[in-house]
Amino acid sequence: MTEVVIIKTNSGETILAQSEVPSDVYQEFNFITLVHPLEIITRVEILRELYYLKPWVPMSKAKVLTINTRNITTMTMLREELIDGYEDGVQKAYYGKALKALDFGGDIPLDDDEEFSQQDLEEYAEAIIKGKVN
């Protein structure tokens, strides 16, 4: 079962990702695979702290990355009420530009508030990569 986890690395990065390895047993593995890893960027202003999400390795198109568990300081499940924010970040970071660049057939408008499930987006992106979409 995949769970959304928050990871703190030795280098100080904070990462959100999907992991098939449960957060309570990650130490038993040498490497774990992370799906849609997003780095949390923190910006402190006078009266508040702001958080931004960006792809962990922004110059790569990779959606799945492997990390050596020796580089992990701690790993725990993300709080349930924050998972929707993570999923929104995944759609914007990994699929937003691809969807905007697509031609949906001329006169068929795509509403800005129209939502796609993550599975829909992954299947569509895979079809584009494999050349199955004109």
Side-chain angles (χ1 to χ4, degrees):
M1 180 177 157
T2 302
E3 62 183 39
V4 179
V5 296
I6 184 165
I7 298 169
K8 197 73 165 160
T9 67
N10 292 342
S11 64
E13 297 169 309
T14 304
I15 302 163
L16 300 177
Q18 294 174 37
S19 172
E20 290 186 4
V21 174
S23 58
D24 54 347
V25 295
Y26 79 90
Q27 301 96 334
E28 298 175 14
F29 296 84
N30 291 324
F31 294 90
I32 59 171
T33 301
L34 303 177
V35 179
H36 297 124
L38 296 174
E39 182 179 1
I40 299 175
I41 305 299
T42 306
R43 189 171 120 195
V44 178
E45 293 186 352
I46 295 173
L47 298 175
R48 62 184 173 175
E49 191 171 59
L50 302 172
Y51 299 98
Y52 299 94
L53 300 176
K54 71 172 188 119
W56 183 31
V57 183
M59 301 227 178
S60 171
K61 291 184 180 183
K63 295 172 185 66
V64 179
L65 297 169
T66 302
I67 184 171
N68 188 321
T69 56
R70 290 185 306 197
N71 296 324
I72 297 175
T73 303
T74 190
M75 178 172 150
T76 187
M77 287 180 57
L78 185 64
R79 289 191 335 225
E80 188 70 32
E81 62 268 21
L82 299 176
I83 291 177
D84 286 342
Y86 164 75
E87 290 174 350
D88 288 345
V90 167
Q91 287 191 13
K92 289 176 184 171
Y94 287 99
Y95 303 105
K97 290 180 183 175
L99 287 174
K100 288 178 186 174
L102 296 175
D103 179 5
F104 284 92
D107 295 339
I108 303 172
L110 178 63
D111 296 333
D112 288 338
D113 59 351
E114 187 174 328
E115 292 190 21
F116 298 94
S117 73
Q118 186 169 331
Q119 183 177 353
D120 292 340
L121 293 170
E122 289 174 2
E123 289 172 1
Y124 195 65
E126 185 177 336
I128 292 170
I129 291 169
K130 292 182 178 178
K132 296 180 179 179
V133 176
N134 296 340

